[in-house]
Amino acid sequence: FWLKLHTTIRILSRRLRGLSAFFRYCVPAMKTAWFTIFALATCSLLGKAEAADGKDRAITKVVKMLEAMLEKSKADGDADRKTYAKFLCYCNTNKEEKTSEIKSLSTDIDALETKIEELKGSSGVLSKDVARLKADMADNKLAREQATKQRMKEASAFGDLDKDSTAA
């Protein structure tokens, strides 16, 4: 196993020597990316070599675990995207409904406020009319009482005059 690993690393290092000039001008992040690719390629080759042995070694187990984690992560990402899409659709639909309801109810509120103001105004006018009519009714009652008293006096005077004229 170690011989295979050593041989593989030696072959890859010879191929990468030509890239050393390229690495001098690369940014450190790109260097890290290339070394990561190199490490993964080495692990992949090791995995193939170990598969030929028929036994799972520690590196192979780690590679398999990472591949399983990658698949699980992809599946989780897909599920999250679907859930987010449903949630976003729900939010957009409810937002449109609630916005339209708010708009229509705001219009209703404005109309009702206008109606309330009109009713308050007419209530004030009607209250004044009621007060005026009550005053007129009181004046009318007083005038009727006075007129009744006056008629009673005149009727009494007429009765006295009629008695005097009939008696004489």
Side-chain angles (χ1 to χ4, degrees), residues 70-102:
L70 179 65
E71 291 300 317
K72 185 178 183 305
S73 175
K74 285 181 183 178
D76 289 345
D78 291 339
D80 287 346
R81 274 192 289 281
K82 288 178 184 176
T83 304
Y84 178 75
K86 288 179 184 177
F87 178 72
L88 185 63
C89 180
Y90 172 78
C91 288
N92 289 340
T93 303
N94 279 349
K95 182 179 178 184
E96 291 170 5
E97 289 177 9
K98 297 302 178 192
T99 303
S100 65
E101 285 179 17
I102 288 171

Side-chain angles (χ1 to χ4, degrees), residues 139-152:
D139 290 343
N140 188 4
K141 184 176 181 183
L142 184 62
R144 278 184 311 169
E145 288 174 359
Q146 287 176 355
T148 303
K149 283 182 185 177
Q150 183 65 29
R151 280 190 213 112
M152 294 296 253

Side-chain angles (χ1 to χ4, degrees), residues 13-55:
S13 67
R14 281 186 202 145
R15 290 183 182 168
L16 291 175
R17 275 189 200 139
L19 295 174
S20 65
F22 177 72
F23 278 124
R24 274 187 237 138
Y25 300 107
C26 288
V27 291
M30 194 161 188
K31 286 181 183 178
T32 305
W34 277 105
F35 285 121
T36 304
I37 291 170
F38 173 72
L40 288 175
T42 305
C43 289
S44 175
L45 291 174
L46 286 175
K48 289 179 184 176
E50 289 177 3
D53 291 345
K55 296 180 182 177

